Amino acid sequence: MPQLISQQAAPAMQELKVGVIGGGFMARTHADAIRRAGAQLIGVRSNGEQSTARAAAVLGVPGFGSVEELLEQCDAVHVTSPNALHAGQAAAALAAGLSVVCEKPLATSARDAGQLALLASRSDAVASVPFVYRYHPMVRQARAHVREGKLGRLLTVRGQYLQDWMHDASHKSWRVDPASGGPSRAFADIGSHLVDLLEFIAGERIVRLNAATSVAHQRRGTVEVATEDAAALVVQMASGAIGTLLVSQVNAGRKNALAIELSGDRSAVEFQQEKPDELWIGGTGMSSTLSRQADGLSPDAARLSVVPAGHPMGYLDAFAAFVADTYAAIRGEAPEGLPTFADGARACRLTEAVLESAATGEWIATND
């Protein structure tokens, strides 16, 4: 059984032994970030023998016979399995004294996610959730713009996260099945990123929302669809500012169109994930686009800007920075803006509020 990782006695990065649970796209993404952070990826366990063997071959590591066997050999574990397995696997890792990176949604219910956050808070282990869009330098610049008072009093917010990978009825995924993906699909998958980014940049919470959801195709092959393809929200922030958010996985031609705008009584800012090296700053007299090459970036934005201007930074860079900050926290450091299990539980609470509002037509309070 590995020793409990604590801030007093954390292993050096070259000694940090990390395992991955799951064998799909996210497992490959996590594996890349683990190696870029300088840790030792020791093995993988997927949901069966064949899938474990395939994942082991792709990642170039041993495949383990069970999750339990993998946990016995690790200092930290990354959970990238189907949503319904997250809570149990993350809890098992915490019980074993391991630090955990768990994909979102942290759990398929807000109750289970809250229990995980409580377990993590009572542990010496580090428990983080990859809300990696926080790790684009220009997101940190937008946050600094708000914190420094340059935005002024928040008036309105606007956000979208649009994809098309479920546009056609022929498109299938394990996420469609609530038994594997949970009661929410589009919002739990990508809407969680959007609301996390909004609250992170704004520095305040959504206190209530009203939502509607839709299903584009009642059947996908032989599977009857019970989870949403799209969700539209009206939100109110703690300051009284109002706004709209649209989440969809059926918008033709939109691959990863994540965008967020905050407008205040002094200026506005907009970040678009598909233009990650830029931050739009709006003014009534003149608007401008701030590039990552600009002098005077905030310290946090400059910290994450790791390649020279003109060399684009993107999703994998943000993911690697998130994992590096997780491992810095394991070493006892306190990196700015690391998303924890508390943030993961918050996203699950907002997801349940969206489903409740869509079912009842009522405004739902969310300021837990």
Side-chain angles (χ1 to χ4, degrees), residues 43-130:
V44 63
R45 173 64 193 182
S46 190
N47 62 354
E49 299 306 321
Q50 291 184 344
S51 59
T52 297
R54 287 194 298 268
V58 170
L59 301 182
V61 295
F64 278 68
S66 68
V67 169
E68 292 74 19
E69 289 179 13
L70 179 62
L71 295 182
E72 288 177 356
Q73 302 300 319
C74 293
D75 302 305
V77 67
H78 291 231
V79 178
T80 73
S81 51
N83 301 348
L85 301 176
H86 289 178
Q89 292 170 345
L94 287 171
L98 307 184
S99 288
V100 191
V101 177
C102 183
E103 268 297 335
K104 46 77 202 161
L106 186 57
T108 54
S109 74
R111 179 180 178 273
D112 288 348
Q115 289 179 340
L116 275 175
L118 182 61
L119 284 174
S121 71
R122 293 173 173 174
S123 169
D124 288 331
V126 172
S128 64
V129 177

Coordinates of all heavy atoms in Angstrom, one line a residue, residues 43-130:
G43 N 1.2 2.6 -15.3 CA 0.3 1.6 -15.8 C -1.1 2.2 -16.0 O -1.4 3.3 -15.6
V44 N -2.0 1.3 -16.6 CA -3.3 1.7 -16.9 C -4.2 0.5 -16.6 O -3.9 -0.6 -16.7 CB -3.4 2.1 -18.4 CG1 -3.1 1.0 -19.3 CG2 -4.8 2.7 -18.7
R45 N -5.5 0.9 -16.2 CA -6.5 -0.1 -16.1 C -7.8 0.4 -16.7 O -8.3 1.5 -16.3 CB -6.8 -0.5 -14.6 CG -8.0 -1.4 -14.5 CD -7.8 -2.8 -15.1 NE -9.1 -3.5 -15.2 CZ -9.2 -4.8 -15.7 NH1 -8.1 -5.4 -16.1 NH2 -10.3 -5.4 -15.7
S46 N -8.3 -0.2 -17.7 CA -9.6 0.2 -18.3 C -10.7 -0.7 -17.8 O -10.5 -1.4 -16.8 CB -9.4 0.1 -19.9 OG -10.5 0.7 -20.5
N47 N -11.8 -0.8 -18.5 CA -13.0 -1.5 -18.0 C -13.1 -3.0 -18.3 O -14.1 -3.6 -18.1 CB -14.3 -0.8 -18.4 CG -14.5 -0.8 -19.9 OD1 -13.6 -1.2 -20.7 ND2 -15.6 -0.3 -20.4
G48 N -12.1 -3.5 -18.9 CA -12.0 -4.9 -19.2 C -10.6 -5.3 -19.7 O -9.8 -4.5 -19.9
E49 N -10.4 -6.6 -19.9 CA -9.1 -7.1 -20.2 C -8.7 -6.6 -21.6 O -7.5 -6.2 -21.8 CB -9.1 -8.6 -20.2 CG -9.4 -9.2 -18.8 CD -8.5 -8.6 -17.7 OE1 -7.3 -8.4 -17.9 OE2 -9.0 -8.4 -16.6
Q50 N -9.6 -6.7 -22.6 CA -9.2 -6.3 -23.9 C -9.0 -4.8 -24.0 O -8.0 -4.4 -24.7 CB -10.3 -6.8 -24.9 CG -10.4 -8.3 -25.1 CD -11.4 -8.6 -26.2 OE1 -12.3 -7.8 -26.6 NE2 -11.3 -9.9 -26.7
S51 N -9.9 -4.0 -23.4 CA -9.7 -2.6 -23.5 C -8.4 -2.1 -22.7 O -7.7 -1.2 -23.1 CB -10.9 -1.9 -23.0 OG -11.2 -2.2 -21.6
T52 N -8.1 -2.8 -21.6 CA -6.9 -2.6 -20.9 C -5.7 -2.9 -21.7 O -4.7 -2.1 -21.8 CB -6.8 -3.4 -19.6 OG1 -7.9 -3.0 -18.7 CG2 -5.5 -3.1 -18.8
A53 N -5.7 -4.0 -22.4 CA -4.6 -4.3 -23.3 C -4.4 -3.3 -24.4 O -3.2 -2.9 -24.8 CB -4.8 -5.7 -23.9
R54 N -5.5 -2.9 -25.0 CA -5.4 -1.8 -26.1 C -4.8 -0.5 -25.5 O -4.0 0.1 -26.1 CB -6.8 -1.6 -26.7 CG -7.3 -2.7 -27.6 CD -8.5 -2.3 -28.4 NE -9.6 -1.9 -27.6 CZ -10.6 -2.7 -27.2 NH1 -10.5 -4.0 -27.6 NH2 -11.6 -2.3 -26.5
A55 N -5.3 -0.1 -24.4 CA -4.9 1.1 -23.8 C -3.4 1.0 -23.4 O -2.6 2.0 -23.6 CB -5.7 1.5 -22.5
A56 N -3.0 -0.1 -22.8 CA -1.6 -0.3 -22.5 C -0.7 -0.2 -23.7 O 0.4 0.4 -23.6 CB -1.4 -1.7 -21.8
A57 N -1.1 -0.8 -24.8 CA -0.3 -0.7 -26.0 C -0.2 0.7 -26.5 O 0.9 1.2 -27.0 CB -0.9 -1.6 -27.1
V58 N -1.3 1.5 -26.5 CA -1.3 2.9 -27.0 C -0.4 3.7 -26.1 O 0.4 4.6 -26.6 CB -2.7 3.4 -27.0 CG1 -2.7 4.9 -27.3 CG2 -3.5 2.7 -28.1
L59 N -0.5 3.5 -24.8 CA 0.2 4.4 -23.8 C 1.6 3.9 -23.6 O 2.4 4.7 -23.0 CB -0.5 4.5 -22.5 CG -2.0 5.0 -22.5 CD1 -2.6 5.1 -21.1 CD2 -2.0 6.4 -23.2
G60 N 1.9 2.7 -24.0 CA 3.3 2.2 -23.8 C 3.6 1.9 -22.3 O 4.8 2.1 -21.9
V61 N 2.6 1.4 -21.6 CA 2.8 1.0 -20.2 C 2.2 -0.3 -19.9 O 1.4 -0.8 -20.7 CB 2.2 2.1 -19.3 CG1 2.9 3.4 -19.4 CG2 0.7 2.3 -19.5
P62 N 2.4 -0.9 -18.8 CA 1.8 -2.2 -18.4 C 0.3 -2.0 -18.2 O -0.2 -0.9 -17.7 CB 2.5 -2.6 -17.1 CG 3.8 -1.9 -17.1 CD 3.5 -0.6 -17.8
G63 N -0.5 -3.0 -18.5 CA -1.9 -3.0 -18.1 C -2.1 -3.8 -16.8 O -1.5 -4.9 -16.7
F64 N -2.9 -3.3 -15.9 CA -3.1 -3.9 -14.6 C -4.3 -4.7 -14.6 O -5.3 -4.5 -15.4 CB -3.1 -2.8 -13.5 CG -1.8 -2.4 -13.0 CD1 -1.0 -1.6 -13.9 CD2 -1.3 -2.7 -11.8 CE1 0.3 -1.2 -13.4 CE2 -0.1 -2.3 -11.3 CZ 0.7 -1.5 -12.2
G65 N -4.4 -5.8 -13.8 CA -5.5 -6.7 -13.7 C -6.7 -6.1 -13.1 O -7.8 -6.7 -13.3
S66 N -6.6 -5.1 -12.3 CA -7.7 -4.5 -11.6 C -7.4 -3.1 -11.2 O -6.2 -2.7 -11.1 CB -8.2 -5.3 -10.4 OG -7.2 -5.2 -9.4
V67 N -8.4 -2.3 -10.9 CA -8.2 -1.0 -10.3 C -7.4 -1.1 -9.0 O -6.5 -0.3 -8.7 CB -9.5 -0.2 -10.2 CG1 -9.3 1.1 -9.3 CG2 -10.1 0.1 -11.5
E68 N -7.8 -2.0 -8.2 CA -7.2 -2.2 -6.9 C -5.7 -2.5 -7.0 O -4.9 -1.9 -6.2 CB -7.9 -3.3 -6.1 CG -9.3 -3.1 -5.7 CD -10.3 -3.1 -6.9 OE1 -10.0 -3.7 -7.9 OE2 -11.4 -2.6 -6.7
E69 N -5.3 -3.3 -7.9 CA -3.9 -3.6 -8.1 C -3.1 -2.3 -8.6 O -2.0 -2.1 -8.1 CB -3.7 -4.7 -9.2 CG -4.2 -6.1 -8.7 CD -4.0 -7.1 -9.8 OE1 -3.3 -6.8 -10.8 OE2 -4.5 -8.2 -9.7
L70 N -3.8 -1.5 -9.4 CA -3.1 -0.3 -9.9 C -2.9 0.7 -8.7 O -1.8 1.3 -8.5 CB -4.0 0.3 -11.0 CG -3.4 1.7 -11.6 CD1 -2.1 1.5 -12.2 CD2 -4.4 2.2 -12.5
L71 N -4.0 0.8 -7.9 CA -3.9 1.8 -6.8 C -2.8 1.4 -5.8 O -2.1 2.2 -5.2 CB -5.2 1.8 -6.0 CG -6.4 2.4 -6.8 CD1 -7.7 2.4 -5.9 CD2 -6.1 3.8 -7.4
E72 N -2.5 0.1 -5.6 CA -1.5 -0.4 -4.7 C -0.1 0.1 -5.1 O 0.8 0.1 -4.3 CB -1.5 -1.9 -4.6 CG -2.7 -2.4 -3.8 CD -2.8 -3.9 -3.8 OE1 -1.9 -4.6 -4.4 OE2 -3.7 -4.5 -3.1
Q73 N 0.1 0.4 -6.4 CA 1.4 0.7 -6.9 C 1.6 2.2 -7.1 O 2.7 2.6 -7.5 CB 1.7 0.0 -8.2 CG 1.6 -1.5 -8.1 CD 2.6 -2.1 -7.1 OE1 3.7 -1.7 -7.1 NE2 2.1 -3.1 -6.3
C74 N 0.6 3.0 -6.8 CA 0.6 4.5 -7.2 C 0.8 5.4 -6.0 O 0.5 5.1 -4.9 CB -0.7 4.8 -7.9 SG -0.9 4.1 -9.5
D75 N 1.3 6.6 -6.3 CA 1.2 7.7 -5.4 C 0.0 8.6 -5.8 O -0.5 9.3 -4.9 CB 2.5 8.6 -5.5 CG 3.7 7.8 -5.1 OD1 3.8 7.1 -4.1 OD2 4.7 7.7 -6.0
A76 N -0.3 8.6 -7.0 CA -1.5 9.4 -7.5 C -2.1 8.7 -8.7 O -1.5 7.9 -9.4 CB -1.0 10.8 -8.0
V77 N -3.4 9.0 -8.9 CA -4.1 8.3 -10.0 C -5.0 9.3 -10.7 O -5.5 10.2 -10.1 CB -5.0 7.1 -9.4 CG1 -6.1 7.6 -8.6 CG2 -5.5 6.2 -10.6
H78 N -5.1 9.1 -12.0 CA -6.0 9.9 -12.9 C -7.2 9.1 -13.3 O -7.0 8.0 -13.9 CB -5.3 10.4 -14.1 CG -4.2 11.4 -13.8 ND1 -4.1 12.6 -14.5 CD2 -3.2 11.4 -12.9 CE1 -3.1 13.3 -14.0 NE2 -2.5 12.6 -13.1
V79 N -8.4 9.5 -13.0 CA -9.6 8.8 -13.3 C -10.2 9.3 -14.5 O -10.7 10.5 -14.6 CB -10.6 8.9 -12.1 CG1 -11.9 8.1 -12.4 CG2 -10.0 8.3 -10.8
T80 N -10.3 8.5 -15.6 CA -10.8 9.0 -16.9 C -11.8 8.0 -17.4 O -12.1 7.9 -18.6 CB -9.7 9.1 -17.9 OG1 -9.2 7.8 -18.4 CG2 -8.5 9.9 -17.4
S81 N -12.4 7.2 -16.5 CA -13.4 6.2 -16.9 C -14.8 6.8 -17.2 O -14.9 8.0 -17.0 CB -13.5 5.2 -15.7 OG -13.7 5.9 -14.5
P82 N -15.8 6.0 -17.6 CA -17.1 6.5 -17.8 C -17.6 7.2 -16.5 O -17.3 6.8 -15.4 CB -17.9 5.3 -18.2 CG -16.9 4.5 -18.9 CD -15.6 4.6 -18.2
N83 N -18.5 8.2 -16.7 CA -18.9 9.0 -15.6 C -19.5 8.3 -14.4 O -19.2 8.7 -13.2 CB -20.0 10.0 -16.1 CG -19.6 10.9 -17.2 OD1 -18.4 11.0 -17.5 ND2 -20.5 11.5 -17.9
A84 N -20.2 7.2 -14.6 CA -20.9 6.5 -13.5 C -19.8 5.9 -12.6 O -20.2 5.5 -11.4 CB -21.9 5.5 -14.0
L85 N -18.6 5.7 -13.0 CA -17.6 5.0 -12.2 C -16.7 6.0 -11.4 O -15.9 5.6 -10.6 CB -16.7 4.2 -13.1 CG -17.4 3.1 -14.0 CD1 -16.4 2.4 -14.9 CD2 -18.0 2.1 -13.0
H86 N -16.8 7.3 -11.7 CA -15.9 8.3 -11.1 C -16.0 8.3 -9.6 O -14.9 8.2 -9.0 CB -16.3 9.7 -11.7 CG -15.9 9.9 -13.1 ND1 -16.2 11.1 -13.7 CD2 -15.3 9.1 -14.0 CE1 -15.8 11.0 -15.0 NE2 -15.3 9.8 -15.2
A87 N -17.2 8.4 -9.1 CA -17.3 8.5 -7.6 C -16.7 7.4 -6.9 O -15.9 7.6 -5.9 CB -18.7 8.7 -7.2
G88 N -17.0 6.2 -7.3 CA -16.4 5.0 -6.6 C -14.9 4.9 -6.7 O -14.2 4.6 -5.7
Q89 N -14.4 5.1 -7.9 CA -13.0 5.0 -8.1 C -12.2 6.1 -7.4 O -11.1 5.9 -6.8 CB -12.7 5.0 -9.6 CG -13.2 3.7 -10.2 CD -13.1 3.7 -11.8 OE1 -13.0 4.8 -12.4 NE2 -13.3 2.6 -12.4
A90 N -12.7 7.3 -7.4 CA -12.1 8.4 -6.7 C -12.1 8.2 -5.2 O -11.1 8.5 -4.5 CB -12.7 9.8 -7.1
A91 N -13.2 7.7 -4.7 CA -13.3 7.5 -3.3 C -12.3 6.4 -2.9 O -11.7 6.5 -1.8 CB -14.7 7.1 -2.9
A92 N -12.2 5.4 -3.7 CA -11.2 4.3 -3.4 C -9.8 4.8 -3.3 O -9.0 4.4 -2.5 CB -11.4 3.2 -4.4
A93 N -9.5 5.7 -4.3 CA -8.1 6.3 -4.3 C -7.9 7.1 -3.1 O -6.8 7.0 -2.5 CB -7.9 7.1 -5.6
L94 N -8.8 7.9 -2.7 CA -8.7 8.8 -1.5 C -8.5 7.9 -0.3 O -7.7 8.2 0.6 CB -9.8 9.7 -1.3 CG -9.9 10.9 -2.3 CD1 -11.2 11.6 -2.2 CD2 -8.7 11.9 -2.1
A95 N -9.3 6.8 -0.2 CA -9.2 5.9 1.0 C -7.9 5.3 1.1 O -7.4 4.9 2.2 CB -10.3 4.9 0.9
A96 N -7.2 5.1 -0.1 CA -5.9 4.5 -0.1 C -4.8 5.5 0.1 O -3.6 5.1 0.1 CB -5.7 3.8 -1.5
G97 N -5.2 6.7 0.4 CA -4.2 7.8 0.6 C -3.5 8.4 -0.6 O -2.5 9.0 -0.5
L98 N -4.2 8.2 -1.7 CA -3.6 8.7 -3.0 C -4.2 10.1 -3.3 O -5.3 10.4 -3.1 CB -3.9 7.7 -4.1 CG -3.5 6.3 -4.0 CD1 -3.8 5.5 -5.3 CD2 -2.1 6.1 -3.6
S99 N -3.3 10.9 -4.0 CA -3.9 12.1 -4.7 C -4.6 11.6 -5.9 O -4.3 10.6 -6.6 CB -2.7 13.0 -5.0 OG -2.2 13.6 -3.8
V100 N -5.6 12.4 -6.3 CA -6.5 12.0 -7.4 C -6.8 13.2 -8.3 O -7.1 14.3 -7.9 CB -7.9 11.5 -6.8 CG1 -8.7 10.9 -8.0 CG2 -7.7 10.6 -5.7
V101 N -6.7 12.9 -9.6 CA -7.2 13.8 -10.7 C -8.4 13.0 -11.2 O -8.3 11.9 -11.8 CB -6.2 14.1 -11.8 CG1 -6.8 14.9 -12.9 CG2 -5.0 14.8 -11.2
C102 N -9.6 13.6 -11.1 CA -10.8 12.9 -11.6 C -11.5 13.7 -12.6 O -11.8 14.9 -12.4 CB -11.8 12.6 -10.4 SG -13.3 11.7 -10.9
E103 N -11.8 13.1 -13.8 CA -12.5 13.8 -14.8 C -13.8 14.3 -14.4 O -14.4 13.7 -13.5 CB -12.6 12.9 -16.1 CG -11.5 13.0 -17.1 CD -11.4 14.4 -17.7 OE1 -12.5 15.1 -17.7 OE2 -10.3 14.8 -18.1
K104 N -14.3 15.3 -15.0 CA -15.7 15.7 -14.8 C -16.7 15.0 -15.7 O -16.3 14.4 -16.7 CB -15.8 17.3 -14.9 CG -15.2 17.8 -16.2 CD -16.1 17.6 -17.4 CE -15.2 17.7 -18.7 NZ -15.9 17.0 -19.8
P105 N -17.9 14.8 -15.2 CA -18.4 15.2 -13.9 C -17.8 14.4 -12.8 O -17.6 13.2 -13.0 CB -19.9 15.0 -14.0 CG -20.1 13.9 -15.0 CD -19.0 14.1 -16.0
L106 N -17.6 15.0 -11.7 CA -17.0 14.3 -10.5 C -17.8 13.2 -10.1 O -17.3 12.1 -9.7 CB -16.8 15.3 -9.4 CG -16.1 14.9 -8.1 CD1 -14.7 14.4 -8.5 CD2 -16.0 16.0 -7.1
A107 N -19.1 13.3 -10.2 CA -20.1 12.2 -9.9 C -21.3 12.4 -10.8 O -21.5 13.5 -11.3 CB -20.4 12.1 -8.5
T108 N -22.2 11.5 -10.8 CA -23.4 11.6 -11.6 C -24.6 12.2 -10.7 O -25.7 12.3 -11.2 CB -23.9 10.3 -12.2 OG1 -24.0 9.3 -11.2 CG2 -22.9 9.9 -13.2
S109 N -24.3 12.5 -9.4 CA -25.2 13.3 -8.6 C -24.5 14.3 -7.8 O -23.3 14.1 -7.4 CB -26.0 12.3 -7.7 OG -25.2 11.8 -6.6
A110 N -25.2 15.4 -7.4 CA -24.5 16.4 -6.6 C -24.2 15.9 -5.2 O -23.3 16.3 -4.6 CB -25.4 17.6 -6.6
R111 N -25.1 15.0 -4.7 CA -24.9 14.4 -3.4 C -23.6 13.6 -3.4 O -22.8 13.8 -2.4 CB -26.1 13.5 -3.0 CG -25.9 12.8 -1.7 CD -27.1 11.9 -1.4 NE -27.0 11.2 -0.1 CZ -26.3 10.0 0.0 NH1 -25.8 9.5 -1.0 NH2 -26.2 9.5 1.2
D112 N -23.3 12.7 -4.3 CA -22.1 12.0 -4.4 C -20.9 12.9 -4.6 O -19.8 12.6 -3.9 CB -22.2 10.9 -5.5 CG -23.1 9.8 -5.1 OD1 -23.5 9.7 -4.0 OD2 -23.4 9.0 -6.1
A113 N -21.0 13.9 -5.4 CA -19.9 14.8 -5.6 C -19.6 15.6 -4.3 O -18.4 15.8 -4.0 CB -20.3 15.8 -6.8
G114 N -20.6 16.0 -3.6 CA -20.4 16.7 -2.4 C -19.7 15.8 -1.3 O -18.8 16.3 -0.6
Q115 N -20.0 14.5 -1.3 CA -19.4 13.6 -0.4 C -17.9 13.4 -0.7 O -17.1 13.3 0.1 CB -20.1 12.3 -0.4 CG -21.5 12.3 0.3 CD -22.2 11.0 0.3 OE1 -21.9 10.1 -0.6 NE2 -23.2 10.8 1.1
L116 N -17.6 13.4 -2.0 CA -16.2 13.3 -2.5 C -15.4 14.5 -2.1 O -14.3 14.4 -1.6 CB -16.2 13.1 -4.0 CG -16.3 11.7 -4.5 CD1 -16.3 11.7 -6.0 CD2 -15.2 10.8 -4.0
A117 N -16.0 15.7 -2.3 CA -15.4 16.9 -1.9 C -15.1 16.9 -0.4 O -14.0 17.4 0.1 CB -16.2 18.1 -2.3
L118 N -16.0 16.4 0.4 CA -15.8 16.4 1.9 C -14.7 15.4 2.2 O -13.9 15.7 3.1 CB -17.1 15.9 2.5 CG -17.1 15.8 4.1 CD1 -16.8 17.2 4.7 CD2 -18.5 15.3 4.6
L119 N -14.7 14.2 1.6 CA -13.6 13.3 1.8 C -12.2 13.9 1.5 O -11.3 13.7 2.2 CB -13.8 12.0 0.9 CG -14.9 11.0 1.4 CD1 -15.0 9.9 0.3 CD2 -14.5 10.4 2.7
A120 N -12.2 14.6 0.3 CA -10.9 15.2 -0.1 C -10.5 16.3 0.9 O -9.3 16.4 1.2 CB -11.1 15.8 -1.5
S121 N -11.5 17.1 1.5 CA -11.1 18.1 2.4 C -10.6 17.6 3.7 O -9.8 18.3 4.4 CB -12.3 19.0 2.7 OG -13.3 18.3 3.5
R122 N -10.9 16.3 4.0 CA -10.5 15.7 5.3 C -9.2 14.9 5.1 O -8.7 14.3 6.0 CB -11.6 14.8 5.8 CG -12.8 15.6 6.3 CD -13.9 14.6 6.7 NE -15.1 15.4 7.3 CZ -16.2 14.8 7.6 NH1 -16.4 13.5 7.4 NH2 -17.2 15.5 8.1
S123 N -8.7 14.9 3.9 CA -7.5 14.1 3.5 C -6.3 15.0 3.3 O -6.4 16.2 3.0 CB -7.8 13.4 2.2 OG -6.6 12.8 1.7
D124 N -5.1 14.5 3.5 CA -3.9 15.2 3.1 C -3.6 15.1 1.6 O -2.7 15.8 1.1 CB -2.7 14.6 3.9 CG -2.7 14.9 5.3 OD1 -3.2 16.0 5.7 OD2 -2.2 14.1 6.1
A125 N -4.4 14.3 0.9 CA -4.1 14.2 -0.5 C -4.6 15.4 -1.3 O -5.5 16.1 -0.9 CB -4.9 12.9 -1.0
V126 N -4.1 15.5 -2.5 CA -4.6 16.6 -3.4 C -5.6 15.9 -4.3 O -5.4 14.8 -4.8 CB -3.4 17.1 -4.3 CG1 -3.9 18.1 -5.4 CG2 -2.4 17.8 -3.4
A127 N -6.7 16.6 -4.5 CA -7.8 16.1 -5.3 C -8.3 17.2 -6.3 O -8.8 18.2 -5.8 CB -9.0 15.6 -4.5
S128 N -8.1 17.0 -7.6 CA -8.3 18.1 -8.5 C -9.2 17.6 -9.7 O -9.3 16.4 -9.9 CB -7.0 18.6 -9.1 OG -6.3 17.7 -9.8
V129 N -9.8 18.5 -10.4 CA -10.7 18.2 -11.5 C -10.2 19.0 -12.7 O -10.0 20.2 -12.6 CB -12.2 18.6 -11.2 CG1 -13.1 18.3 -12.4 CG2 -12.7 17.8 -10.0
P130 N -10.1 18.4 -13.9 CA -9.5 19.1 -15.0 C -10.4 20.1 -15.7 O -10.8 19.9 -16.9 CB -9.0 18.0 -15.9 CG -9.9 16.8 -15.6 CD -10.2 17.0 -14.1

